[in-house]
Amino acid sequence: MDNIIRSTARLQLHKDFDFYAARDQVPYFAQLGISHLYLSPIHTPRAGSTHGYDVVDYGAVSAELGGEEGLRALIAELRKYDMGVIADLVPNHMAIGGHDNRAWLDLLEWGMQSHYANFFDVDWDVADPMLRHRVHAPFLGKPYGEALDDGDLSLQFDPKEVRFFVQYYEHHFPINPRYYGEILNRRDGLMASHAANFRAATATKGRRENKVEEARQFLRDAIAADPALLEHIHECIADYDPNTAKGRTHLHRLLERQNFRLAWWRTASDEINWRRFFDVLELAGLRVQELSTFAIVHANTFYLYSEGLIDGVRIDHIDGLADPRTYCRRLRRALSKISHRRPPEAPQGKPVIYVEKILAPAERLSKEWEVDGDTGYAFMNEIGALLHDPAGEEPLGRAWTALTGQPHDFELEEKAARRRTVQTLLAADFNACALALHQIARSDMHTRDWTLGAIRRVLTEILVEFPVYRTYMDARGRSPEDEALMSATLAAARKNCLPSDRDLIDFLDKWLGGEPPLDVTPVRARRARLRAIARFQQLSSPVAAKSVEDTAFYRYGHLLSRNEVGSTPLQFFLSARDFHHACRARLRRYPNCMLATATHDHKRGEDVRARLAVISELPEHWLMHVANWRQLNRHLKSSHAQLRPDDGEEAPDSADEYMLYQMIMGAWPPDMDLGNREMLAQFAERIGQWQLKALREAKRNSNWIEPDTDYEARAQQFLDAILDPEAGHGFLLEMDKFVNSIAAAGIVNSLTQVLVKLTAPGVPDMYQGCDLWDFSFVDPDNRRPVNYQLRQEYLRDLEKPEVRYSLVPNWRDGRLKQFLIRSILNARAKIPRVFAQGGYHALKTVGALEEHVFCFAREFQGQMVIVAGVRFPAELSEKDSPRIHSDRWQDTHIQLSRQFRDQHWTDLITDAQYSGDNLPVGRLFADFTVALLVNDAAKESVGNTGV
């Protein structure tokens, strides 16, 4: 069995959907045509995790998921169907806080002497004397002094581990053993020998681990022999009772000498001295570029791969790593080196490595990384843009400005968000980068007069203008691509700098890779350059994510279908020509790259975006209805604004209201029944959760740190009112009527999206639940349980001719999508090389409606496939059915190039037959708005799959 990936199915695992639950669905996925399951992280996460990205132990498979035994059960079932598995790996960060990550606790306990001092990405040499050589621990819910005065901090003893720690709710902060002797040193002398043991074990500098463990074991044995000793230990602890003035003083003095500094959580953004995953305090960054860290993080992964329990990995947040290129190459070598150990029943061939990478429209993944491709965000952007009509961009932009008073310019919104992010959310990370650059400046007499303030100002302008997530500079300096990017960025930043700061740009250019660090001497100076480069590159990535995806996307509502992870509103549409170019480039560079249309991180479901894209075709029609809805609901906003008489601000304001209408329309269930109160209530609850998150992410009228609960409440009351079936104001009926007028066109877009994803160069990935319609919101809505029983019933029903014939009339139930996926994936399984290695050829459409057809061909060694779908269907499709009458197409036809002529073709969807030099579109789309034609050479292998 070769490790050939034809298609993947992404599953979100958690305690309520574990390995055994996934095993039960393997036959279904096999029948659907999936070749590999693509699993969320499988290593031990924080207890109760719903996603797995909060790993606390890389050394074991999650017990909540079923442990290694459960994984083996899943793999055994997969092998029955010649299927494989790709596992998500999180090398950038671990979950910390609480008391379940032993590595983190060791770091707090021993500081720079910890085995993990170089495992976590801690800056031990910060300028602040209170944090120098210590770990900032901003886990307190109130200022430190208040927490101490209120008795929230208490000294505790763990008799099993023989460890003292300070407890703050679920958090444990271990006391360094150097101070155990002080704690146990009471006047009665009962604990004197134990105090002496710990003093002796820690008398010299360094970590005398054996001696400390001997002292622990001596006390452990003593407690086992005389449990009454615990009472004496608790009497010792009483000297640190926070409920007395003397006890608080003792506890404070003890804490001040630890390897950590407790602090209020609000200090994190300004003072934290370790890298986080973005601004998430509970996720600490790792120095996986260190060989020792790499070994710890990957040991179990290598074991699982050698045992045939995984067949490849997906690397989470590759841009968080200091050196992605070196990391990926090191991982490739390590996995390849142990491939020979894999059991014979496991897939053979090279290990599969995918990286989660957000690519700008003109950005390309480097071949030097030696990976199989990215996880599909680039394709998600391209197929989404392909479905948007360029004619809608300007009228929708003008309407956004007229409605909100905000400019129709996403770039301005993004730059404002970037500036805010570096000044607030990521201020500490920004300061660390600026200080690293200032250290370089101070080391040279020619640059030592450049102040930290000047560096901060210029660095801000560079990050504001930065057009991608990050560069990939290393000791060799910059690649030609990075050089071009940095030159353009620095030129743009120079225009915005103070005249007195502009000369500093040239020095920053030099320090940030313009001069290769390998050419820098002495070694200390080279290390300073590399440190600054790493700080900059690991800063620009979270700045981009927090500014664009988690802020600007929620502030700018021109058309929300373009506000998607991996996409940009700056690219409203993509021409067929440019899409073809992207496909050819992918086939040439990364033929096994993933193709995604939905992920666990998407902002809105794939079929929501497909429906929203219809607005680009009907901007005036849409805006007329928006004006009507605003008028219908105006009195509801006014009455709620009266809840706060001193503030005339309406809630939601015009921008929030306009984006709310888009989301209601886009996610409106296709089978919505206004008479079904339960169904309507469930929808209202889901969109209410979306609205709350959207308001806080936007940071306009509320935010996560200091939420404006009054504005949020009024916005929720407005939402409740407009979705109230008893209100009688007419909005629900008007919205339902509008959705039904364009829903069929949205489904045509959805079918084209599915068709192209499953046939274009690359490996199609199906996110869980997307085998039927996906009208989900952002997480956690897009991670809801999937009804697999229903899907299995639907799949069985597809064997009945009467069900297949009714797929289009009954399109609302989603079986139409499932049928298309099954048909194409099973065809891929039978002619895999056509899709994996076959050439890609754009086909020409001619006639009155040629712009409404998108088509291409794939071919390999005589086997040929023609793919055709519909674009811009709003004016073509029937209002209540995703069908286009053949007369609408007039003379439009697909003109076959020479190599595809003189063939006999069979449509795998409808079983219709074609021949000749041209394919009449009216006939091609008479029953279905997508077509998948195979020539006789391919048909011989495929057999029958269609209606």
Side-chain angles (χ1 to χ4, degrees), residues 628-877:
N628 182 40
W629 298 334
R630 282 166 56 85
Q631 184 61 38
L632 281 173
N633 298 332
R634 187 176 303 277
H635 70 286
L636 301 173
K637 289 175 65 174
S638 299
S639 63
H640 294 141
Q642 294 171 4
L643 291 175
R644 190 162 66 181
D646 62 334
D647 186 354
E649 175 191 357
E650 292 183 337
D653 65 15
S654 295
D656 291 335
E657 183 184 8
Y658 185 58
M659 288 187 277
L660 176 61
Y661 291 145
Q662 288 188 58
M663 288 305 295
I664 292 175
M665 187 280 290
W668 194 261
D671 57 346
M672 174 64 85
D673 177 3
L674 294 182
N676 187 330
R677 296 294 191 261
E678 182 180 356
M679 184 179 190
L680 190 59
Q682 289 175 351
F683 179 73
E685 180 181 3
R686 290 174 53 222
I687 200 163
Q689 292 173 348
W690 169 84
Q691 179 178 250
L692 179 62
K693 182 170 185 173
L695 295 176
R696 292 185 178 181
E697 294 283 28
K699 306 168 190 70
R700 292 174 56 252
N701 296 308
S702 190
N703 58 71
W704 292 107
I705 297 176
E706 295 180 354
D708 185 336
T709 55
D710 180 82
Y711 183 90
E712 292 173 356
R714 290 186 288 139
Q716 181 62 47
Q717 287 173 320
F718 175 79
L719 177 59
D720 291 342
I722 66 174
L723 295 182
D724 182 0
E726 306 296 335
H729 47 64
F731 171 74
L732 278 176
L733 289 173
E734 289 295 320
M735 175 58 75
D736 190 57
K737 181 180 178 181
F738 177 81
V739 171
N740 284 323
S741 73
I742 69 162
I747 294 304
V748 173
N749 277 341
S750 292
L751 296 176
T752 298
Q753 181 171 250
V754 171
L755 172 77
V756 175
K757 180 177 74 170
L758 300 184
T759 55
V763 175
D765 172 50
M766 184 188 73
Y767 181 66
Q768 64 176 31
C770 291
D771 37 351
L772 300 182
W773 303 131
D774 172 30
F775 289 96
S776 62
F777 300 108
V778 70
D779 67 278
D781 189 75
N782 60 10
R783 303 174 189 180
R784 288 174 296 151
V786 176
N787 186 343
Y788 284 107
Q789 181 178 352
L790 176 68
R791 285 161 170 77
Q792 291 168 1
E793 292 173 0
Y794 279 3
L795 195 62
R796 286 194 296 269
D797 287 346
L798 288 179
E799 302 304 319
K800 303 173 183 177
E802 65 271 20
V803 171
R804 293 200 300 273
Y805 295 144
S806 66
L807 288 174
V808 175
N810 296 327
W811 60 270
R812 297 178 188 274
D813 62 19
R815 282 184 288 190
L816 179 61
K817 184 179 183 182
Q818 185 190 53
F819 164 75
L820 184 61
I821 292 171
R822 189 200 68 166
S823 299
I824 300 176
L825 289 185
N826 278 278
R828 283 188 70 117
K830 293 173 181 176
I831 49 173
R833 292 189 176 185
V834 174
F835 296 100
Q837 301 170 249
Y840 179 94
H841 306 270
L843 297 179
K844 185 178 181 180
T845 307
V846 178
L849 297 176
E850 60 188 45
E851 293 298 320
H852 291 265
V853 180
F854 179 75
C855 51
F856 59 88
R858 307 293 307 275
E859 55 80 24
F860 181 81
Q861 295 183 353
Q863 293 186 323
M864 301 178 181
V865 174
I866 290 177
V867 178
V870 176
R871 295 175 77 198
F872 315 145
E875 298 293 350
L876 300 176
S877 63

Side-chain angles (χ1 to χ4, degrees), residues 442-702:
R442 284 291 177 87
S443 67
D444 189 327
M445 64 181 180
H446 298 98
T447 58
R448 71 179 193 177
D449 288 340
W450 284 110
T451 66
L452 178 61
I455 289 174
R456 287 171 55 86
R457 290 192 296 271
V458 173
L459 182 59
T460 296
E461 299 306 325
I462 292 173
L463 290 167
V464 166
E465 296 292 337
F466 217 67
V468 297
Y469 260 56
R470 61 169 284 175
T471 50
Y472 300 94
M473 301 173 283
D474 55 26
R476 303 170 302 166
R478 299 173 185 161
S479 67
E481 294 80 7
D482 281 343
E483 180 61 42
L485 186 149
M486 287 296 290
S487 296
T489 300
L490 295 174
R494 190 186 300 272
K495 297 176 183 178
N496 299 323
C497 288
L498 295 174
S500 58
D501 289 343
R502 286 174 183 163
D503 289 343
L504 179 57
I505 287 274
D506 297 325
F507 289 110
L508 292 188
D509 183 19
K510 177 180 177 182
W511 300 337
L512 292 175
E515 179 182 44
L518 281 177
D519 297 341
V520 176
T521 55
V523 173
R524 181 172 58 184
R526 182 186 306 156
R527 288 174 178 166
R529 294 280 185 94
L530 289 171
R531 182 184 184 189
I533 289 171
R535 290 289 182 196
F536 176 74
Q537 294 184 141
Q538 288 179 300
L539 172 63
S540 67
S541 174
V543 166
K546 296 305 296 183
S547 303
V548 180
E549 298 170 25
D550 293 345
T551 301
F553 276 2
Y554 292 93
R555 298 169 70 99
Y556 182 82
H558 176 201
L559 186 55
L560 293 180
S561 47
R562 296 304 297 140
N563 294 16
E564 188 52 78
V565 180
S567 304
T568 171
L570 294 172
Q571 184 185 40
F572 187 80
F573 67 94
L574 191 69
S575 69
R577 179 180 178 181
D578 288 340
F579 188 90
H580 289 312
H581 176 76
C583 286
R584 284 190 290 263
R586 185 177 298 110
L587 178 62
R588 183 174 63 254
R589 293 176 59 83
Y590 284 106
N592 293 318
C593 181
M594 274 191 180
L595 309 179
T597 46
T599 74
H600 64 285
D601 283 331
H602 67 231
K603 300 300 181 186
R604 47 200 57 83
E606 59 183 44
D607 298 312
V608 175
R609 297 194 307 275
R611 183 187 289 170
L612 284 169
V614 177
I615 295 176
S616 69
E617 301 180 64
L618 306 168
E620 289 80 9
H621 182 62
W622 158 254
L623 293 170
M624 178 186 70
H625 281 81
V626 169
N628 182 40
W629 298 334
R630 282 166 56 85
Q631 184 61 38
L632 281 173
N633 298 332
R634 187 176 303 277
H635 70 286
L636 301 173
K637 289 175 65 174
S638 299
S639 63
H640 294 141
Q642 294 171 4
L643 291 175
R644 190 162 66 181
D646 62 334
D647 186 354
E649 175 191 357
E650 292 183 337
D653 65 15
S654 295
D656 291 335
E657 183 184 8
Y658 185 58
M659 288 187 277
L660 176 61
Y661 291 145
Q662 288 188 58
M663 288 305 295
I664 292 175
M665 187 280 290
W668 194 261
D671 57 346
M672 174 64 85
D673 177 3
L674 294 182
N676 187 330
R677 296 294 191 261
E678 182 180 356
M679 184 179 190
L680 190 59
Q682 289 175 351
F683 179 73
E685 180 181 3
R686 290 174 53 222
I687 200 163
Q689 292 173 348
W690 169 84
Q691 179 178 250
L692 179 62
K693 182 170 185 173
L695 295 176
R696 292 185 178 181
E697 294 283 28
K699 306 168 190 70
R700 292 174 56 252
N701 296 308
S702 190

Side-chain angles (χ1 to χ4, degrees), residues 64-95:
E64 286 191 348
L65 299 183
E68 185 178 322
E69 181 181 351
L71 179 59
R72 287 185 180 277
L74 171 60
I75 295 303
E77 186 70 10
L78 287 168
R79 299 309 187 218
K80 293 178 183 177
Y81 298 91
D82 290 335
M83 293 173 66
V85 66
I86 299 168
D88 210 332
L89 181 61
V90 190
N92 177 70
H93 55 266
M94 289 186 86

Side-chain angles (χ1 to χ4, degrees), residues 117-136:
N118 209 33
F119 180 84
F120 293 100
D121 198 354
V122 181
D123 186 352
W124 297 105
D125 296 318
V126 294
D128 186 346
M130 296 189 71
L131 286 175
R132 191 174 179 81
H133 298 169
R134 301 174 75 190
V135 178
H136 191 226

